[in-house]
């Protein structure tokens, strides 16, 4: 009898438990159905086929000429990162730089528009939507076969090759352009008129890759006066790493010469964003990054000279100093906390064997001597001499150099001895604003001699002047815009507040210099060279 009661009780218990589970399931289903559709979780966006922001079969690579991009390295990117969305919600279909037959108003939707964002409002302003000339095949840095896929050699070679010559390592079902990693898309998008478009849907991916891609190799960069590293990523993209040497609030000592000043990692980051806010777009993308000295430099370097310089400080921190002309010694070692070190990761341009660049000595180069002065510092009519000298005697090269002067003055960079251009485009192209590490060294004083090209030539592009005037107004205050742009960097805050306030002060001095030129000129168009016509 007892056994029968025990069996009956067990059966009732099991039925009750099953009933409770069924009831819980029904309650869960009812709650799920009651939720509004807008609040239901969806994990579909991360793998959406249009997430890369590039239309399938983009004609950006169209053209009869075929170019095998075997290396095109010097920038980080990964095929996997292209699976993720780099186009903000609400963006319209964007095309990369250089698409034939399309004016340069890519992404006319509100890409990255944020409520209350001054930066978003700035990029919607008519002055930041002036179209550039139509980009033809000859205006592109690279013209490649639009149907050719690319993959890494399985042998471990650092070459990009046609998938017909090597095992295809990429997912199937993609168009050829979709198989390119982010760094390669960046390179093939460069054209005669700009390094990257105003609303480049790839930019978030490029910056994220610089900050997060796994580092597989770190070696010293040859040349230069201070230590810099070339860091390589798993897909053979590369970036230039400049380590932190000063804290945010340290100013360049007043007794330092400009040629012996420190190169600052945060200056490289801020310069990229400032260049973009000025609508020059002539500095390759730069992101801040916190690097593990042990795992991401010491343990993986193949550079024997660099490897010999690592040591543990008395405080137990990992340090190194490398080999260079300045500040490469035990006394000036770079130390982690205990092995974490800040630095800037700058996208390198395409290899010079594929895209030759020409280096130009700046006419306003300083003497780089402790007592001697350059000719432009002694001759008040120096600009007339420059205007008669190629390549400044025609085209917009001189005006482009004055654009660079404005950028340098705003960030206090006295170290602009050379600049570069892509050789393919001749004289009719933009200047590359490279190597900005000696900017943002001082905020308490302004070096007016940096403005010598503007003051002596009394010429500036009308578009540049109009944008500078806009950036001096309350709704588009330059310091606010740069502060907002830098807030998204992994190393934020990138600049100390006094440096941001100095930007507004210096901007006022640039506008005052142009004002004095206008007051002296017989005609305003001699000072404000019209490069916009009726487009604004």
């Amino acid at each position: 009898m007892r056994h029968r009661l025990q069996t009956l009780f067990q059966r009732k218990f099991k039925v009750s438990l099953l009933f409770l589970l069924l009831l819980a399931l029904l309650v869960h289903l009812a709650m799920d159905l009651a939720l509004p559709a807008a609040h239901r979780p969806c994990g579909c966006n991360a793998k959406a086929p249009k997430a890369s922001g590039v239309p399938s079969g983009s004609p950006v690579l169209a053209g009869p000429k075929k170019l095998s991009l075997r290396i095109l390295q010097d920038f980080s990117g990964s095929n996997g990162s292209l699976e993720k969305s780099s186009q903000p919600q609400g963006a319209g279909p964007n095309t990369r730089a250089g698409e034939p037959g399309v004016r340069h108003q890519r992404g006319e939707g509100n890409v990255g528009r944020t409520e209350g964002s001054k930066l978003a409002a700035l990029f919607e302003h008519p002055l930041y939507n002036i179209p550039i000339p139509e980009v033809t095949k000859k205006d592109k840095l690279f013209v490649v076969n639009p149907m050719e896929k690319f993959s890494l050699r399985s042998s471990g070679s650092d070459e990009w090759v046609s998938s017909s010559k090597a095992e295809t390592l990429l997912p199937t079902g993609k168009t050829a352009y979709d198989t390119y990693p982010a760094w390669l898309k960046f390179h093939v998008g460069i054209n005669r008129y700009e390094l990257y478009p105003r609303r480049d849907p790839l930019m978030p991916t490029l910056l994220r890759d610089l900050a997060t891609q796994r580092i597989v190799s770190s070696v010293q960069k040859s040349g230069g006066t201070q230590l810099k590293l070339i860091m390589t990523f798993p897909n053979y993209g590369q970036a230039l790493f400049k380590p932190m040497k000063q804290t945010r609030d340290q100013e360049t000592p007043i007794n330092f010469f400009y040629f012996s000043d420190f190169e600052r990692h945060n200056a490289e980051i801020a310069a990229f964003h400032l260049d973009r806010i000025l609508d020059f777009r002539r500095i390759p993308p730069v992101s801040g990054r916190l690097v593990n000295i042990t795992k991401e430099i010491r343990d993986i370097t193949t550079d024997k000279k660099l490897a010999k310089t690592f040591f543990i400080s008395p405080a137990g921190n990992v340090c190194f100093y490398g080999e260079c002309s300045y500040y490469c010694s035990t006394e000036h070692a770079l130390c982690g906390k205990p092995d974490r070190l800040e630095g800037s990761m700058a996208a390198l341009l395409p290899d010079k064997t594929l895209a030759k660049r020409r280096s130009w000595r700046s006419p306003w180069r300083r003497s780089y001597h402790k007592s001697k002065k350059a000719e432009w510092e002694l001759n008040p009519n120096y600009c007339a001499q420059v205007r008669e000298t190629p390549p400044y005697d025609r085209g917009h090269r001189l005006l482009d150099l004055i654009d660079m002067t404005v950028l340098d003055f705003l960030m206090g960079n006295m170290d602009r001895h050379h600049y570069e251009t892509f050789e393919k485009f001749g004289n009719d192209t933009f200047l590359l604003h490279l190597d900005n590490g000696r900017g943002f060294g001082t905020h308490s004083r302004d070096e007016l001699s940096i403005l010598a090209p503007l003051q002596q030539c009394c010429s500036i592009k009308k578009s540049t002047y109009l944008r500078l005037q806009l950036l001096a107004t309350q709704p588009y205050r330059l310091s606010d815009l740069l502060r907002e742009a830098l807030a998204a960097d992994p190393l934020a805050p990138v600049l100390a507040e006094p440096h941001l306030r100095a930007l507004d002060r210096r901007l006022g001095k640039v506008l005052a210099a142009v004002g004095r030129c206008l007051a002296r000129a017989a005609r305003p168009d001699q000072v404000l060279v019209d490069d916009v016509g009726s487009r604004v």
Side-chain angles (χ1 to χ4, degrees):
M1 184 68 178
R2 178 182 294 179
H3 178 72
R4 290 178 62 189
L5 288 173
Q6 187 176 3
T7 304
L8 182 62
F9 176 78
Q10 288 176 349
R11 287 178 181 175
K12 287 184 178 181
F13 177 77
K14 290 178 181 178
V15 171
S16 300
L17 183 62
L18 183 63
F19 177 75
L20 289 173
L21 289 173
L22 182 61
L23 182 64
L25 179 63
L26 290 173
V27 171
H28 178 76
L29 289 173
M31 291 178 63
D32 187 56
L33 291 172
L35 284 173
H39 294 285
R40 292 178 190 171
C42 175
C44 54
N45 289 339
K47 296 183 179 180
K50 295 182 181 179
S52 65
V54 181
S56 177
S58 171
V60 65
L61 303 173
K65 292 178 66 178
K66 297 182 180 180
L67 173 65
S68 292
L69 302 181
R70 53 181 178 80
I71 299 180
L72 269 188
Q73 53 191 60
D74 300 344
F75 186 73
S76 148
S78 76
N79 300 322
S81 68
L82 295 178
E83 302 290 329
K84 301 175 183 177
S85 174
S86 63
Q87 182 174 351
Q89 188 174 4
N94 290 275
T95 57
R96 281 288 294 159
E99 179 169 347
V102 179
R103 291 283 178 179
H104 228 57
Q105 285 305 108
R106 284 172 299 278
E108 293 184 340
N110 294 333
V111 178
R113 182 81 189 207
T114 305
E115 191 67 29
S117 166
K118 287 190 175 184
L119 200 60
L122 178 77
F123 293 145
E124 294 294 332
H125 193 278
L127 286 172
Y128 286 78
N129 288 276
I130 301 172
I132 67 168
E134 181 177 332
V135 178
T136 63
K137 186 168 62 179
K138 67 179 181 180
D139 297 323
K140 301 174 187 176
L141 188 61
F142 298 110
V143 180
V144 300
N145 182 350
M147 299 308 296
E148 188 172 18
K149 292 189 178 183
F150 289 85
S151 62
L152 292 172
R153 283 190 190 273
S154 55
S155 63
S157 169
D158 59 348
E159 294 189 37
W160 279 87
V161 296
S162 168
S163 59
S164 62
K165 300 177 183 177
E167 179 184 358
T168 302
L169 304 177
L170 301 169
T172 58
K174 289 177 171 286
T175 62
Y177 185 78
D178 289 335
T179 67
Y180 299 169
W183 62 266
L184 184 53
K185 288 184 177 183
F186 167 64
H187 285 173
V188 300
I190 298 171
N191 64 63
R192 179 187 300 276
Y193 306 107
E194 59 191 2
L195 202 54
Y196 57 89
R198 287 188 180 104
R199 294 167 178 163
D200 190 352
L202 280 178
M203 190 55 66
T205 302
L206 296 176
L207 295 176
R208 183 171 61 248
D209 283 350
L210 286 171
T212 61
Q213 279 279 306
R214 184 168 61 90
I215 299 168
V216 296
S217 174
S218 297
V219 296
Q220 283 191 114
K221 183 182 183 297
S222 59
T225 58
Q226 298 184 37
L227 178 66
K228 295 178 280 286
L229 302 178
I230 298 291
M231 292 186 163
T232 305
F233 303 108
N235 66 347
Y236 301 98
Q238 292 183 315
L240 181 68
F241 176 75
K242 286 191 177 182
M244 176 179 178
K245 293 187 177 75
Q246 285 185 310
T247 59
R248 305 288 195 275
D249 56 351
Q250 281 183 291
E251 281 197 276
T252 301
I254 195 169
N255 292 317
F256 266 38
F257 286 99
Y258 53 87
F259 50 81
S260 58
D261 191 10
F262 292 110
E263 291 187 12
R264 286 164 287 275
H265 71 301
N266 59 327
E268 294 285 359
I269 303 166
F272 161 67
H273 290 281
L274 177 60
D275 179 81
R276 191 181 182 199
I277 289 170
L278 294 172
D279 200 41
F280 295 154
R281 288 168 287 117
R282 301 165 195 170
I283 296 178
V286 184
S287 173
R289 179 163 181 159
L290 198 61
V291 169
N292 186 308
I293 298 176
T294 303
K295 295 180 180 179
E296 297 179 312
I297 302 179
R298 189 191 68 183
D299 291 353
I300 62 175
T301 187
T302 57
D303 189 327
K304 294 181 180 179
K305 292 182 179 179
L306 176 64
K308 292 178 180 178
T309 67
F310 285 87
F311 64 94
I312 304 298
S313 73
N317 297 321
V318 182
C319 305
F320 70 105
Y321 52 86
E323 289 190 357
C324 61
S325 303
Y326 292 98
Y327 310 122
C328 282
S329 63
T330 307
E331 294 75 21
H332 297 100
L334 304 165
C335 297
K337 295 181 180 180
D339 56 3
R340 299 280 179 171
L341 178 66
E342 285 187 18
S344 63
M345 298 286 278
L348 298 186
L349 295 170
D351 192 277
K352 289 184 179 180
T353 59
L354 296 171
K356 292 182 180 179
R357 301 198 301 271
R358 181 168 178 179
S359 179
W360 304 81
R361 181 187 173 110
S362 171
W364 279 271
R365 181 185 186 272
R366 297 178 184 274
S367 66
Y368 287 82
H369 192 276
K370 294 176 182 177
S371 57
K372 291 182 180 179
K373 289 190 175 184
E375 184 180 353
W376 60 267
E377 296 177 277
L378 304 171
N379 181 5
N381 298 316
Y382 181 75
C383 184
Q385 199 174 306
V386 174
R387 288 182 186 273
E388 295 176 358
T389 307
Y392 308 100
D393 57 343
R394 62 181 183 85
H396 50 80
R397 177 65 66 89
L398 181 59
L399 294 170
D400 287 341
L401 191 140
I402 291 173
D403 280 350
M404 186 167 61
T405 292
V406 171
L407 172 71
D408 284 336
F409 177 71
L410 291 175
M411 59 184 181
N413 179 26
M414 300 174 67
D415 188 37
R416 188 70 68 185
H417 45 83
H418 285 79
Y419 62 88
E420 294 185 18
T421 59
F422 287 109
E423 194 172 286
K424 176 180 179 178
F425 302 136
N427 190 40
D428 187 21
T429 188
F430 60 90
L431 314 185
L432 291 163
H433 301 166
L434 306 177
D435 200 6
N436 303 287
R438 284 187 169 139
F440 295 103
T442 60
H443 54 72
S444 58
R445 54 190 185 274
D446 305 330
E447 184 54 55
L448 289 172
S449 65
I450 300 173
L451 280 180
L454 173 61
Q455 294 170 327
Q456 294 179 355
C457 298
C458 268
S459 292
I460 190 171
K461 290 179 184 176
K462 185 177 180 180
S463 63
T464 299
Y465 180 66
L466 292 175
R467 290 188 188 104
L468 292 177
Q469 283 188 314
L470 181 69
L471 296 173
T473 63
Q474 178 65 28
Y476 303 101
R477 183 184 297 173
L478 180 57
S479 59
D480 293 341
L481 293 166
L482 187 58
R483 184 185 297 107
E484 180 183 338
L486 294 176
D489 190 85
L491 299 183
V494 175
L495 290 178
E497 279 298 314
H499 284 291
L500 292 168
R501 291 194 295 269
L503 283 171
D504 298 325
R505 181 182 71 240
R506 291 167 182 167
L507 176 57
K509 292 184 178 182
V510 174
L511 293 173
V514 178
R516 289 191 292 271
C517 289
L518 288 168
R520 295 195 303 265
R523 299 195 321 271
D525 60 356
Q526 293 176 335
V527 177
L528 304 180
V529 181
D530 192 359
D531 62 326
V532 293
S534 59
R535 291 176 289 177
V536 292

